[in-house]
Amino acid sequence: MPDHDHDNPAPVAATGAGRPARRSGPAAGDGPLAARVRIGYGLGSFATGTFGTVPGLLLLYYLTDILGVTAGLAGLLVFLPKAWDVLLNPWIGSLSDRTAHRWGPRRPWMLLGALTMPLCFAAMFAAPDLERGWAAAYVAVLFLLTATGYACFQVPYVALPAELTADPDERARVMSWRVAFLGAAILLSGALAPLLAGASGDDHGSPGGYRLMGAVIGALLCAGMLAAFAATARAPAVLRVTSEPGLPAQLRAARGNRPFTWLLAAFVTQAAATGLMLAGTQYFATYILHRPSATSVLFACLILPSLLAMPLWLAVGRRTGKRSAALAASGCFLAGAATAAFARELPGGAVYAAVALAGAGYAGMQMLPLAMLGDAIAADAFTSGRRRAGLFTGLWTAGETLGLAVGPGLYGLVLAAGGFVSSGAGHRVAQPGSALTAIVTGFGALPALLLLLSLPLLARYDLTEEKLGALRDAAAEPAAVPVPAPVPGTVSPSMPGPGSAHGPHGPSPAPESPRGSGGCPGEPSGGEHTGAGPPAGPSG
């Protein structure tokens, strides 16, 4: 485990009255990042995209249609390990904030996750021949261990952009690379995993096929994590970080940042909608389209448009603002999901077109909120004088994990309410009409409803680029220090006395600002300001 110093932060060279030393050049965050850093950072999304896709896509189906676990219990087993991450992620973020290591505070944790999580993932889909109850317990324990290893990588990984650069546009460029690799990972894993699961000849999947899939996808996870770890070895860093000591303090800090609070609420709601569609894809292809192999086609319809739409959403975000672009992207996803809800009455081409429309919106729903998250973290640094990227990204990934866990859990409950009949790999059963209705409802209608609920939450995020620039400028202004009026018979602090080196009429040094010249907590030119400052977080 990486070392973390709870009480003694890493030493920082000081200049003047306790002000950390000024850093210059690209390492200070005042220039564009090297292409190696942007691309190398994006490579980590091969792991995050793959893990965000494959368990959500296949784990529920693996439990109900391969191991024979009932739909309600399967949904609970998929939800609980992810719910554990809701508590774990902020703790990992806080620990990484306080980690003192020659590799920096984030990369040791990333390596820990890279070495543990892929092995647990492969073992999760290699359940031995056990009774249903024991098989369910085996998968639940391995999923818990996999989610824990993933948190060790993901939380510090998401925290990096806010510490690599102080430029909001540069953060958006970093996020565009991340989302590009994310889309590629989702497309590759979403198309490859179902094919591998059915490689034994049964396109519904078999235990042997799922073992092969787990091993291959585990290798992809390991490669993406290690690539991101290696590529960011000499990445620049903007200031060191601090963290709140416990979860209650972290929640108080998050509430003080209103844009972050509204953005997180919207993102969690949208993550639940995404989780529902992911969990329902295999069921939708198998029981509605009557083509289990159509899962790969559905994923192509979802991800290829998202890759094409990503530059469009980036341009729209620059022209109209990130919030307006995110609302438009959410509307596209909502329209596609609502159309898919009528899949039983629509021709196949219309269903695929609806999924493609949702995919075009999905790109903006992923890229733009992540760029907005970086802005909210920077705003907190400007107003609080503290670097707490790990705190906010820990809460962010916890919320994302919760949303993605709620999706499959809710889908399992919808299936159970519709009378879905679970079966083992060697014994297939016909589903009643109510179960088919539940499959379509969970795949289209419920995601559309959640997207509709997320729109007013997203609209409350009001940290525009202009407001962020104003916060940055205000933080950069040196604090004014009043000079006391001279008292008769004493020597003014700014006027040398007769015994000074320059005599009574020599030059007088100007009073020094306690914050130095132009330094600010969030600026690349200075270190962390620990003195009194404005209240934590922007107030809207």
Side-chain angles (χ1 to χ4, degrees):
M1 294 283 283
D3 296 329
H4 47 275
D5 189 345
H6 295 266
D7 302 312
N8 300 303
V12 179
T15 60
R19 179 171 172 261
R22 177 183 296 268
R23 306 169 88 178
S24 61
D30 55 358
L33 295 171
R36 171 186 60 81
V37 176
R38 290 197 297 265
I39 298 173
Y41 176 81
L43 287 171
S45 286
F46 268 108
T48 61
T50 298
F51 184 70
T53 299
V54 176
L57 174 67
L58 294 179
L59 186 56
L60 186 67
Y61 185 86
Y62 176 64
L63 287 166
T64 61
D65 284 48
I66 302 298
L67 301 182
V69 180
T70 60
L73 177 60
L76 184 63
L77 294 179
V78 173
F79 171 76
L80 289 179
K82 291 275 190 175
W84 154 247
D85 271 2
V86 174
L87 299 177
L88 178 67
N89 285 4
W91 184 61
I92 293 293
S94 178
L95 290 180
S96 70
D97 278 348
R98 297 194 292 262
T99 295
H101 196 279
R102 61 188 177 89
W103 294 346
R106 311 298 177 191
R107 295 179 65 249
W109 291 93
M110 293 169 61
L111 181 61
L112 177 63
L115 296 179
T116 57
M117 181 263 196
L119 294 176
C120 295
F121 179 90
M124 179 174 64
F125 285 102
D129 187 11
L130 301 171
E131 294 294 331
R132 291 184 181 183
W134 288 109
Y138 172 89
V139 172
V141 171
L142 265 298
F143 192 29
L144 179 67
L145 295 176
T146 303
T148 300
Y150 178 67
C152 291
F153 176 85
Q154 186 201 26
V155 173
Y157 173 73
V158 176
L160 276 178
E163 299 171 4
L164 295 179
T165 177
D167 182 0
D169 289 334
E170 186 65 17
R171 279 194 295 271
R173 283 187 286 271
V174 171
M175 288 301 106
S176 69
W177 277 103
R178 180 188 173 187
V179 173
F181 284 113
L182 183 72
I186 294 173
L187 178 62
L188 176 62
S189 62
L192 182 61
L195 293 178
L196 292 173
S200 63
D202 182 359
D203 59 1
H204 288 264
S206 67
Y210 273 90
R211 290 189 187 97
L212 174 63
M213 181 275 296
V216 173
I217 298 299
L220 288 177
L221 290 168
C222 186
M225 289 175 161
L226 292 178
F229 170 79
T232 56
R234 285 180 288 275
V238 181
L239 308 177
R240 65 188 179 95
V241 297
T242 62
S243 181
E244 302 298 334
L247 183 59
Q250 294 180 41
L251 295 176
R252 286 194 297 270
R255 285 198 302 270
N257 191 328
R258 289 177 57 194
F260 172 82
T261 302
W262 290 114
L263 181 64
L264 177 63
F267 191 74
V268 170
T269 306
Q270 294 185 352
T274 303
L276 272 166
M277 291 196 76
L278 279 176
T281 301
Q282 184 69 67
Y283 295 95
F284 188 83
T286 301
Y287 296 105
I288 303 301
L289 301 180
H290 305 291
R291 290 179 55 205
S293 60
T295 302
S296 300
V297 180
L298 288 171
F299 256 86
C301 291
L302 179 70
I303 301 304
L304 287 177
S306 73
L307 295 176
L308 297 175
M310 185 179 59
L312 171 64
W313 292 123
L314 186 61
V316 172
R318 288 175 176 171
R319 178 177 294 271
T320 66
K322 299 184 184 75
R323 181 185 65 176
S324 297
L327 288 169
S330 302
C332 285
F333 191 95
L334 190 158
T339 304
F342 299 94
R344 299 176 72 183
E345 290 78 29
L346 295 174
V351 174
Y352 291 125
V355 175
L357 179 61
Y362 177 76
M365 286 169 51
Q366 289 295 304
M367 179 184 67
L368 294 164
L370 287 172
M372 295 156 73
L373 169 65
D375 292 349
I377 292 173
D380 175 76
F382 293 142
T383 55
S384 71
R386 308 183 69 183
R387 275 283 174 178
R388 301 183 289 200
L391 185 159
F392 287 104
T393 56
L395 293 172
W396 180 269
T397 55
E400 180 183 25
T401 299
L402 177 62
L404 291 175
V406 166
L410 183 57
Y411 199 89
L413 293 178
V414 172
L415 290 180
F420 182 87
V421 182
S422 299
S423 60
H427 177 64
R428 305 293 177 186
V429 297
Q431 299 296 336
S434 59
L436 300 180
T437 300
I439 290 172
V440 173
T441 300
F443 183 79
L446 285 181
L449 177 60
L450 289 175
L451 258 294
L452 186 63
L453 294 176
S454 74
L455 295 180
L457 301 175
L458 187 58
R460 298 294 297 271
Y461 176 92
D462 59 356
L463 182 61
T464 63
E465 285 75 4
E466 291 76 14
K467 286 187 177 182
L468 184 62
L471 290 173
R472 179 175 180 170
D473 293 342
E477 294 177 0
V481 179
V483 179
V487 178
T490 65
V491 179
S492 170
S494 60
M495 184 179 300
S500 72
H502 298 287
H505 302 291
S508 302
E512 181 183 7
S513 165
R515 294 182 65 178
S517 176
C520 77
E523 286 293 301
S525 60
E528 181 192 7
H529 171 58
T530 58
S539 57

